[in-house]
Amino acid sequence: MRIIRAKDYADMSRKAANIIRAQVTMKPDSVLGLATGGSPEGIYKELVAAYNNGDVDFSEITSINLDEYKGMPRENEQSYWYFMHDHFFNHVNVRPQKINVPDGTNLNSEEECARYDQLIEAKGGIDLQLLGIGFDGHIGFNEPADTFTLGTHCVDLEESTIEANKRYFEKKEDVPRQAYTMGIKAIMQAKKVVMVVSGSGKADIVRQAFFGPVTPQVPASILQMHPDFTLIGDEEAFSKI
Ligand code: F6R
């Protein structure tokens, strides 16, 4: 595990964006595993700026997003499909046919999860996986559980996750209760994993996940065993380690 200390959110975003830029420069047809949420928003801004400066070219990459709310159509502003287009894909030259997000509108979980796992395998796995971490230690939507779930699966979201995500919805009742998420296997098989974490609210879970035991009750803790895991955090997020 490599730890990179950033000053603040902007510094964290720049440092992570630099790693992604280097990855795409060295391997233009990289498969990027991407995340949504507040943590990577600044990274996408940096990458769009780099693209506009002519410093990076996304025309050959394949993107595979971590997760999507079950039942959520793409055009809904709360969908992760929408988030990714709004923050990143619409502003760079990534090819639309190379964008992959679980299909929330396929209500047949078994079918959709099998399709997504086959797709990840067909692309040869992920070169660089970008992650945030939930207050309960989730990665993607791999919530605390008695065992790690390997494949893409449908999850019931934890109360704390619904609580955290309600900021994007008009009211808490509107937050979907289920989501499709990539499993632990695809994340752990990614050649590189980069996690960004910001703010004092994440300080406790950072300590538990990366300085405590590896346990499915804190799903991110498995990353301690990844051979190329980089944790980039700001001063507040690292205030308890
Ligand atoms: C999003 C995802 C989630 C978030 C996590 C942290 O695609 O997979 O695991 O990374 O919930 O969210 P933020 O960054 O909003 O604190």
Side-chain angles (χ1 to χ4, degrees):
M1 180 164 79
R2 187 184 298 119
I3 294 185
I4 299 181
R5 290 177 176 272
K7 218 164 73 65
D8 51 22
Y9 181 83
D11 189 30
M12 173 197 83
S13 303
R14 256 190 329 267
K15 285 175 160 58
N18 285 344
I19 294 174
I20 296 172
R21 276 171 58 178
Q23 171 71 35
V24 175
T25 303
M26 298 305 280
K27 187 171 188 278
D29 62 347
S30 288
V31 177
L32 300 182
L34 297 178
T36 62
S39 309
E41 258 186 58
I43 301 174
Y44 296 133
K45 245 188 218 148
E46 290 287 335
L47 291 177
V48 169
Y51 169 73
N52 287 332
N53 285 338
D55 290 338
V56 62
D57 174 12
F58 294 103
S59 63
E60 296 299 320
I61 68 147
T62 295
S63 71
I64 302 186
N65 259 82
L66 277 168
D67 39 19
E68 179 61 281
Y69 290 119
K70 185 175 177 183
M72 188 72 92
R74 288 173 170 185
E75 53 281 4
N76 187 310
E77 287 184 20
Q78 313 304 338
S79 78
Y80 286 178
W81 173 276
Y82 191 98
F83 176 101
M84 287 307 302
H85 283 75
D86 196 32
H87 289 88
F88 187 42
F89 299 146
N90 286 348
H91 312 287
V92 296
N93 63 342
V94 59
R95 304 235 294 269
Q97 64 272 28
K98 295 200 168 200
I99 293 171
N100 301 282
V101 181
D103 178 4
T105 62
N106 185 354
L107 300 181
N108 182 336
S109 302
E110 222 172 284
E111 186 184 273
E112 180 53 18
C113 295
R115 179 191 75 83
Y116 215 61
D117 280 337
Q118 279 159 19
L119 179 134
I120 297 167
E121 213 182 306
K123 304 290 177 202
I126 292 162
D127 289 306
L128 187 154
Q129 177 65 54
L130 176 63
L131 294 174
I133 185 172
F135 292 113
D136 60 2
H138 70 231
I139 45 175
F141 276 135
N142 290 275
E143 295 280 26
D146 291 337
T147 55
F148 291 108
T149 304
L150 296 184
T152 301
H153 56 290
C154 178
V155 275
D156 295 327
L157 300 180
E158 286 292 326
E159 192 52 36
S160 68
T161 304
I162 293 167
E163 193 59 39
N165 288 6
K166 74 174 187 204
R167 67 191 195 274
Y168 293 111
F169 293 81
E170 233 170 72
K171 47 188 194 311
K172 186 173 163 187
E173 292 68 47
D174 295 341
V175 186
R177 271 25 192 184
Q178 286 190 312
Y180 291 136
T181 182
M182 205 188 267
I184 292 297
K185 182 176 159 190
I187 295 172
M188 286 301 282
Q189 286 185 340
K191 294 190 184 80
K192 279 181 195 306
V193 178
V194 175
M195 175 181 279
V196 281
V197 60
S198 165
S200 55
K202 295 276 172 76
D204 280 323
I205 196 63
V206 165
R207 195 190 51 223
Q208 262 186 65
F210 305 114
F211 296 87
V214 174
T215 162
Q217 295 298 342
V218 184
S221 64
I222 190 90
L223 295 166
Q224 292 181 38
M225 303 179 79
H226 192 282
D228 190 346
F229 171 51
T230 303
L231 177 66
I232 308 176
D234 62 13
E235 279 173 10
E236 289 187 352
F238 284 169
S239 59
K240 296 197 173 166
I241 60 170

